Amino acid sequence: MLREWTNDDLAVMQELFDDPDVAYRTPLESPFGQAAALRYLRSAQQARHANDRIHLAITTDGHQALGEVLLNRATGSIGYIVGAAHRGQRLAVRALRTMTEFAHTTVALPRVILEIEPDNHPSIAVARSAGFHPSSSAPETVTDKGRTYGLLTWEHTLTTAERG
């Protein structure tokens, strides 16, 4: 179950995002304290109102946030994070499938992408399980937080039958 982030989630956002793996693999602030959580929530809310990005909390019960999945409408890219204590439950796969379907059907994006580092094997496994495959695009080189790395593009496209 996915839902909007709220002010009541600030403490859990801090718990989920203030993680060495998240800091290493994402552009999120690190350390991710209370002030960072508030800035992130406000940015997500502004992006939603501007129709730029959709940030949703991943839950199993509609309440307790266990991670996040987001869709950037401009780039057609999806990102996801699952808290360390909640990994291994296929939450990211289910959230990615749901957001991918939303991107294709509601936002009408024929192609959705993920950008994944070549050595991020858990994320690659999520991408494969959700029906994504490597694209033929050249890797993108990114410099963030003092390190330079490549991002491979994975894609999910609608079939001709699915496009109607």
Side-chain angles (χ1 to χ4, degrees), residues 142-158:
V142 175
T143 300
D144 182 51
K145 299 180 196 166
R147 76 180 186 103
T148 300
Y149 52 94
L151 290 173
L152 299 176
T153 301
W154 288 70
E155 64 185 357
H156 189 282
T157 54
L158 289 176

Side-chain angles (χ1 to χ4, degrees), residues 79-140:
Y80 45 87
I81 297 168
V82 173
H86 312 292
R87 294 179 188 149
Q89 302 174 42
R90 300 188 53 83
L91 295 171
V93 172
R94 293 193 311 262
L96 179 56
R97 284 181 180 154
T98 300
M99 187 62 88
T100 300
E101 181 180 343
F102 173 82
H104 287 318
T105 60
T106 304
V107 183
L109 297 174
R111 178 178 180 257
V112 182
I113 65 166
L114 308 172
E115 295 176 314
I116 305 173
E117 289 181 69
D119 67 342
N120 189 344
H121 302 292
S123 194
I124 289 170
V126 168
R128 281 196 169 111
S129 292
F132 282 74
H133 57 85
S135 78
S136 58
S137 302
E140 179 184 353

